[in-house]
Amino acid sequence: QVQLVESGGGSVQAGGSLKLSCAVSGYTQNSHCMGWFRQSPGKEREGVVAIYSGEIITYYDNSLRGRFTISQDNAKNTVYLQMNSLKAEDTGVYYCAAGPYCSGGARVFNAWGQGTQVTVSS
């Protein structure tokens, strides 16, 4: 059974940083895509960034490039999302997801975590 458990969310002031973690069990991370998505209040879930086979990175939102970085530690079965220079509009619930490939949006991801809340105050 695949389990994805996010952690690391919290409240931070604008300009601050947070590092989210996603612990993965029951799923082979290599040759699969691990992605981060977020859902802000009043908005639909949107893709942030994903990594395939621990190497190929896809930004679903290019405006986040330079502030958000995804990484993967296969030894720890964990995927990370480093978020810097946070803005109030980054507030939302952040989800980790796993799927066979990174293209195609959220619908191709077949395993999801429960989400972790990120609140950025201005």
Side-chain angles (χ1 to χ4, degrees), residues 63-83:
S63 69
L64 299 178
R65 190 186 298 266
R67 294 198 299 123
F68 287 20
T69 304
I70 189 170
S71 61
Q72 182 171 310
D73 186 335
N74 291 333
K76 296 182 178 180
N77 290 331
T78 301
V79 179
Y80 303 97
L81 181 65
Q82 177 68 48
M83 305 185 294

Side-chain angles (χ1 to χ4, degrees), residues 12-85:
V12 65
Q13 289 191 331
S17 298
L18 283 174
K19 187 174 185 178
L20 306 183
S21 299
C22 174
V24 183
S25 60
Y27 204 91
T28 303
Q29 294 183 79
N30 285 344
S31 77
H32 287 89
C33 181
M34 300 298 302
W36 286 96
F37 293 78
R38 69 182 182 184
Q39 188 164 16
S40 302
K43 296 184 178 180
E44 294 185 354
R45 189 175 300 187
E46 62 180 3
V48 176
V49 63
I51 186 168
Y52 184 81
S53 293
E55 295 181 346
I56 302 171
I57 294 173
T58 299
Y59 278 90
Y60 296 117
D61 183 347
N62 280 319
S63 69
L64 299 178
R65 190 186 298 266
R67 294 198 299 123
F68 287 20
T69 304
I70 189 170
S71 61
Q72 182 171 310
D73 186 335
N74 291 333
K76 296 182 178 180
N77 290 331
T78 301
V79 179
Y80 303 97
L81 181 65
Q82 177 68 48
M83 305 185 294
N84 299 325
S85 302

